[in-house]
């Protein structure tokens, strides 16, 4: 039972720190690779706007990410973390391997997007790691107590996700300039007006059809 709890805790925390590349695959409208973690993008919609990449930079970064994910060490580590029968020691080693791989990618990032941009990206993603560490400490006992109660566990996970988003959003905004915040605001609202008009038009057609 203790092993199962450890496995669930790892899955919850790994879910909060999905790699940028994997997150991009899930997003149908993603344009090029994201420099930020999935949780950072969820907590701060439009965060990608603070770093503008050329097509060449996007291609180089995408190639570096694909190489990392396709590497034997990274693939084996992610497989181990998802294996509920893996030992605590093996999962810990897998987490270290993933951390090492991401650190290598971060080093390559300097040469691709420049030191200033790379530093900002590193700080933003570090905020995510910090929030996860705090949440791990705060919820470890609570999750352990609720491990036999599916509803209670689900409620805690929902609470963790909400707290993570709030904490990350606050810490990320503290790192940004007013100009960067404005860029994020514009990026996060872009296209919403068109979507609203499309939904209104669709609703109007449905109403006309119902009344005919």
């Amino acid at each position: 039972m203790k092993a199962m709890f450890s496995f669930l805790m790892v899955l919850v925390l790994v879910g909060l720190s999905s790699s940028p590349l994997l997150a991009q695959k899930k997003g149908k409208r993603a344009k090029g690779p994201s420099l930020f973690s999935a949780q950072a993008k969820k907590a701060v919609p439009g965060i990608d706007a603070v770093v503008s990449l050329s097509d060449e930079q996007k291609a180089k970064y995408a190639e570096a990410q694909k190489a990392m994910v396709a590497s034997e060490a990274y693939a084996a580590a992610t497989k181990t973390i998802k294996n509920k029968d893996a030992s605590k020691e093996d999962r810990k080693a897998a987490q270290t391997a993933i951390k090492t791989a991401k650190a290598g990618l971060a080093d390559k990032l300097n040469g691709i997007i420049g030191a200033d941009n790379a530093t900002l990206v590193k700080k933003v993603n570090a905020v995510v790691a910090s929030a996860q560490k705090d949440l791990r400490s705060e919820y470890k006992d609570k999750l352990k107590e609720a491990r036999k109660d599916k509803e209670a566990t689900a409620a805690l996970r929902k609470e963790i996700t909400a707290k993570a988003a709030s904490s990350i959003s606050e810490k990320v905004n503290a790192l940004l300039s007013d100009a960067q915040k404005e860029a994020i605001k514009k990026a996060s609202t872009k296209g919403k007006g068109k979507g609203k008009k499309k939904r209104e038009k669709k609703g109007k057609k449905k109403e006309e059809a119902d009344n005919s």
Side-chain angles (χ1 to χ4, degrees):
M1 187 62 73
K2 183 177 181 181
M4 178 58 72
F5 165 69
S6 297
F7 171 67
L8 290 173
M9 190 67 181
V10 168
L11 286 185
V12 170
L13 295 171
V14 168
L16 289 176
S17 61
S18 301
S19 77
L21 179 62
L22 297 181
Q24 182 209 346
K25 288 183 177 180
K26 294 179 181 179
K28 294 181 180 179
R29 296 183 180 179
K31 296 181 180 179
S34 174
L35 298 168
F36 302 98
S37 69
Q39 192 66 13
K41 288 165 66 65
K42 183 177 180 180
V44 188
I47 184 66
D48 286 312
V50 302
V51 180
S52 181
L53 301 181
S54 67
D55 289 340
E56 183 180 0
Q57 287 174 317
K58 289 178 182 178
K60 286 182 178 180
Y61 183 57
E63 185 179 349
Q65 280 190 311
K66 288 178 181 178
M68 179 191 76
V69 175
S71 68
E72 186 176 338
Y74 190 92
T78 54
K79 185 177 181 180
T80 297
I81 286 178
K82 293 177 181 179
N83 180 10
K84 66 180 181 180
D85 295 322
S87 67
K88 183 178 179 180
E89 291 72 22
D90 286 343
R91 283 198 295 274
K92 187 175 181 179
Q95 286 177 297
T96 299
I98 289 177
K99 186 176 181 180
T100 299
K102 288 184 176 180
L105 179 63
D107 288 338
K108 292 179 181 179
L109 200 58
N110 271 309
I112 297 173
I113 66 175
D116 289 343
N117 284 330
T119 296
L120 177 59
V121 170
K122 184 177 181 180
K123 285 182 177 180
V124 170
N125 287 330
V127 161
V128 176
S130 175
Q132 287 178 293
K133 185 176 181 180
D134 292 342
L135 287 169
R136 181 165 59 244
S137 298
E138 181 180 350
Y139 283 88
K140 182 177 181 180
D141 291 337
K142 294 179 181 179
L143 283 168
K144 188 174 182 179
E145 291 173 4
R147 66 181 181 274
K148 294 181 180 179
D149 189 330
K150 291 184 179 180
E151 290 186 4
T153 299
L156 283 172
R157 286 179 178 175
K158 186 176 181 180
E159 187 177 323
I160 290 171
T161 299
K163 275 197 173 185
S166 177
S167 176
I168 291 169
S169 178
E170 181 180 350
K171 291 180 179 180
V172 167
N173 276 291
L175 298 173
L176 305 175
S177 66
D178 290 339
Q180 289 170 327
K181 292 176 184 177
E182 185 61 28
I184 289 175
K185 184 178 179 180
K186 288 181 179 179
S188 64
T189 57
K190 187 177 181 180
K192 286 187 177 181
K194 291 182 180 180
K196 184 179 180 181
K197 287 182 179 179
K198 188 175 181 180
R199 289 192 297 272
E200 289 176 348
K201 187 176 181 180
K202 186 176 181 181
K204 187 176 182 180
K205 284 184 177 181
K206 184 177 185 303
E207 185 178 348
E208 291 174 349
D210 291 340
N211 293 330
S212 62

